[in-house]
DNA sequence: TCATTTCGTAAGACATGACTTACCGTAAGT
DNA sequence: ACTTACGGTAAGTCATGTCTTACGAAATGA
């Protein structure tokens, strides 16, 4: 949902591995846990974090639960990144040296 | 540098706050620490993480060190996000229900 | 030269989060 | 009804990371 939760979810290597495996289509929990060095409950916990962050969707299929990437899962994060690294950044980069010299002469900021 | 380090750096609320403050231009360490509820050394440690991840550039100015956003700091992360949430995702989203029904009938995967 | 300011690093305390095993509920097959 | 397979949750352990204080190095000004 929020970009904060998205970043928290993406910060873990195991969770990134899960996302990359789901890149090729939906998978059940046991299938995801099969080639990981951790227990199945641990995978379930990671899947919960990813789902709560809006990155995954679940679809029950019999006794199994199929997880897949949520198409709009990255929207909030992308919006935040775009806002942070916006156009103003480029102009500042161009003026960086001038600004630094001003500051060195104590004209700006603390 | 790597998108892994970028994600680790962006996962912390304090570091995100630092980035947002630097959105408006370069600042020194003490200035950044002034309106944060943590000590100045803690800020220095966060700035090191951000710099190591390629998100910040440093420019010495007298006894001070001016930190600013690195214009290309998000490039690797953006590339990884684009690859993960690629076009194939949409087609899978469209076929999700069909796939789920196949799986429920045990035709696909574990 | 001496004092002051700014900042990085080291060492240790503490909180957070990623694991484990144990357990329970649900769906499907016999 | 009984068994098996699948998966979520709880409780506790352990590692990782985020703080703190203490200290030292470098630049500035008197």
């Amino acid at each position: 949902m929020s970009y904060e939760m998205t970043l928290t979810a993406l910060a873990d290597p195991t969770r990134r591995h899960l996302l990359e495996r789901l890149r090729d289509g939906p998978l059940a929990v046991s299938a995801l846990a099969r080639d990981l060095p951790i227990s199945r409950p641990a995978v379930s916990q990671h899947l919960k974090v990813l789902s709560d962050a809006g990155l995954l969707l679940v679809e029950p299929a019999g006794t199994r639960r199929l997880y897949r990437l949520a198409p709009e899962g990255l929207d909030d994060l992308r919006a935040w990144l775009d806002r942070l690294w916006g156009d103003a950044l480029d102009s500042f980069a161009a003026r960086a040296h001038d600004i630094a010299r001003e500051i060195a002469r104590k004209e700006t900021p603390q």
Side-chain angles (χ1 to χ4, degrees), chain A residues 13-62:
Chain A
T14 301
R15 286 197 286 268
R16 288 195 297 266
H17 180 86
L18 289 171
L19 292 176
E20 286 175 347
R21 285 221 49 199
L22 292 172
R23 171 88 171 70
D24 301 324
L27 284 175
V29 180
S30 301
L32 288 168
R34 214 177 303 276
D35 63 332
L36 280 175
I38 60 176
S39 69
R40 182 197 49 76
V43 173
S44 273
Q45 290 162 7
H46 282 304
L47 291 172
K48 175 167 175 49
V49 173
L50 290 167
S51 299
D52 289 348
L55 291 170
L56 294 185
L57 301 175
V58 200
E59 179 139 18

Side-chain angles (χ1 to χ4, degrees), chain A residues 31-95:
Chain A
L32 288 168
R34 214 177 303 276
D35 63 332
L36 280 175
I38 60 176
S39 69
R40 182 197 49 76
V43 173
S44 273
Q45 290 162 7
H46 282 304
L47 291 172
K48 175 167 175 49
V49 173
L50 290 167
S51 299
D52 289 348
L55 291 170
L56 294 185
L57 301 175
V58 200
E59 179 139 18
T63 67
R64 290 176 275 189
R65 292 165 62 90
L66 300 175
Y67 286 87
R68 62 186 177 92
L69 299 185
E72 299 177 352
L74 288 183
D75 290 358
D76 288 343
L77 173 59
R78 279 220 171 89
W80 181 76
L81 293 177
D82 290 343
R83 192 172 53 82
L84 192 59
W85 250 254
D87 303 323
L89 184 57
D90 300 325
S91 53
F92 264 117
R95 296 214 311 128

